[in-house]
Amino acid sequence: MSDDTGYSDEDYNTIENLSFVSASLSCAGCIFIIFSYLFFKNLQMFPFKLIFFVSCTELVVSILTFVVEDNACWIRAAITDYFELSTMMWISIISFNIFQILCLGNKNVQLLEKYYHLVAWGIPLLLWIPVAVTGSFGDAGIWCWIPASKITARWACYYGPWTIVILFNVSLHLYITRSIYFQSKTKKISPQRVMAGQNQTQVLSDKQESQILTRLRLYVAVFLWVSFWSFGHRMDELIHGHQSHLTTFAILHAFFRPLQGFLNSIVYGINRRLLNEYKVFFFTLHLFNSKNPHKSSQMDQPPFHRFSLGK
């Protein structure tokens, strides 16, 4: 990083260490989700597939946190910004997909996947191109992003869309909650709600609907929490201008922003279905290892075919 920002080497080390800790946790969480989706066929339901895509984008952002070379600052800033925007889109898509299932009773949400990809990769590209072609990515002081002097680019490319995403997710969450509440109060017969897998559908019970809604609330809460410190930091810069020392918002921004992948993996990754898959897997592995190691018959082979990549 440039040394004309007024920050000391100790300040840089503080931000770097906090970011590395958070990014390491997020890498582990994202890899856990990605591995689980690819390895266990029973987890390859369409809603979990969307979480898989969020984990992929967050994994890229987390890995780039470890790139600290000055010469790679522009590249890191450009790639990070694109995938952070894509993460926003996937989070909104998850909320919209839950709305389709719980409120509209859409039994074929998987047919929307091509449109989801168009939104998740296309909109970030449209927002990213103007910033890239105007050379607005680069050294932003204590990290690589859009410099404070490019305030219009910051708000047009990131914080404007971020505000819209927040309003969209909160509004959709309130609508879903209200819809389910009134359906239960009036005992209205609603369309049968299902989750679609690759070759199966699962009818949702009231308890499962409640669990999905709870996870949606937590997912939105995580997004709000990690984004709050980033937004607060930028507002602090906007109001007070550049400061030559680390502020509380800057420190918390550095720690919580890379943590989103880890928190998402807890919200959506730690559930009964996933844990049961791992229990069955390790139990089967234990049974196989406890057998006579000299036997090599087909019967004694561990049934890994049950956990193939969807084959």
Side-chain angles (χ1 to χ4, degrees):
M1 295 295 178
S2 60
D3 57 6
D4 59 352
T5 60
Y7 294 116
S8 65
D9 290 339
E10 184 179 355
D11 291 335
Y12 284 121
N13 290 334
T14 298
I15 293 297
E16 188 175 276
N17 291 335
L18 287 172
S19 298
F20 283 3
V21 170
S22 300
S24 298
L25 291 172
S26 284
C27 282
C30 291
I31 291 173
F32 172 71
I33 294 294
I34 292 170
F35 172 81
S36 299
Y37 174 79
L38 295 176
F39 195 66
F40 297 111
K41 183 178 179 180
N42 289 337
L43 294 179
Q44 294 174 2
M45 308 291 285
F46 184 68
F48 202 86
K49 188 177 186 179
L50 301 181
I51 300 166
F52 163 79
F53 287 127
V54 175
S55 299
C56 289
T57 58
E58 277 296 326
L59 180 61
V60 173
V61 173
S62 299
I63 290 175
L64 287 172
T65 302
F66 298 99
V67 180
V68 295
E69 292 294 329
D70 289 349
N71 294 334
C73 193
W74 185 93
I75 297 176
R76 174 185 167 185
I79 298 176
T80 298
D81 185 76
Y82 177 79
F83 280 94
E84 285 190 352
L85 289 170
S86 183
T87 297
M88 290 186 197
M89 297 301 108
W90 281 117
I91 289 173
S92 299
I93 287 168
I94 289 174
S95 297
F96 180 76
N97 196 68
I98 292 175
F99 163 76
Q100 287 284 322
I101 295 172
L102 297 186
C103 295
L104 302 184
N106 190 344
K107 301 179 182 180
N108 299 297
V109 287
Q110 67 273 18
L111 298 180
L112 298 174
E113 182 177 354
K114 59 183 177 181
Y115 302 107
Y116 289 167
H117 282 288
L118 186 63
V119 170
W121 307 114
I123 292 180
L125 184 62
L126 293 177
L127 294 170
W128 180 88
I129 288 176
V131 183
V133 298
T134 56
S136 297
F137 290 120
D139 188 348
I142 50 179
W143 36 55
C144 299
W145 190 46
I146 302 173
S149 59
K150 308 283 188 179
I151 189 66
T152 301
R154 281 187 172 187
W155 283 89
C157 175
Y158 191 86
Y159 288 108
W162 176 86
T163 303
I164 294 173
V165 165
I166 289 294
L167 293 175
F168 174 80
N169 280 274
V170 171
S171 299
L172 203 56
H173 165 69
L174 293 175
Y175 182 86
I176 293 172
T177 303
R178 179 178 178 274
S179 175
I180 293 178
Y181 173 78
F182 278 106
Q183 286 178 11
S184 63
K185 293 292 288 185
T186 59
K187 296 183 180 179
K188 178 181 177 180
I189 300 176
S190 58
Q192 190 180 52
R193 306 178 182 100
V194 299
M195 283 201 306
Q198 290 184 336
N199 300 306
Q200 59 181 327
T201 58
Q202 174 191 345
V203 179
L204 297 177
S205 65
D206 292 340
K207 182 178 180 180
Q208 288 172 320
E209 289 178 8
S210 177
Q211 291 173 342
I212 291 173
L213 191 57
T214 298
R215 288 199 183 96
L216 174 61
R217 290 170 181 166
L218 291 173
Y219 214 54
V220 173
V222 165
F223 183 56
L224 286 171
W225 177 256
V226 299
S227 299
F228 172 78
W229 304 109
S230 172
F231 186 77
H233 179 209
R234 299 312 178 188
M235 289 300 296
D236 185 55
E237 283 185 337
L238 187 63
I239 295 172
H240 299 106
H242 172 72
Q243 301 182 52
S244 59
H245 64 280
L246 286 180
T247 63
T248 301
F249 273 118
I251 293 173
L252 293 174
H253 177 191
F255 177 74
F256 281 111
R257 177 57 195 92
L259 199 63
Q260 181 166 340
F262 174 71
L263 296 176
N264 287 344
S265 69
I266 294 178
V267 171
Y268 266 108
I270 308 303
N271 59 74
R272 183 172 298 178
R273 175 186 290 271
L274 186 146
L275 294 178
N276 284 340
E277 290 293 332
Y278 276 99
K279 286 179 182 178
V280 171
F281 171 72
F282 285 115
F283 180 71
T284 305
L285 193 62
H286 172 72
L287 288 180
F288 171 72
N289 290 332
S290 65
K291 291 181 179 181
N292 190 333
H294 299 292
K295 292 183 179 181
S296 58
S297 64
Q298 183 68 27
M299 180 182 297
D300 293 322
Q301 297 302 315
F304 289 123
H305 63 275
R306 292 180 55 194
F307 310 99
S308 64
L309 304 184
K311 294 182 181 178

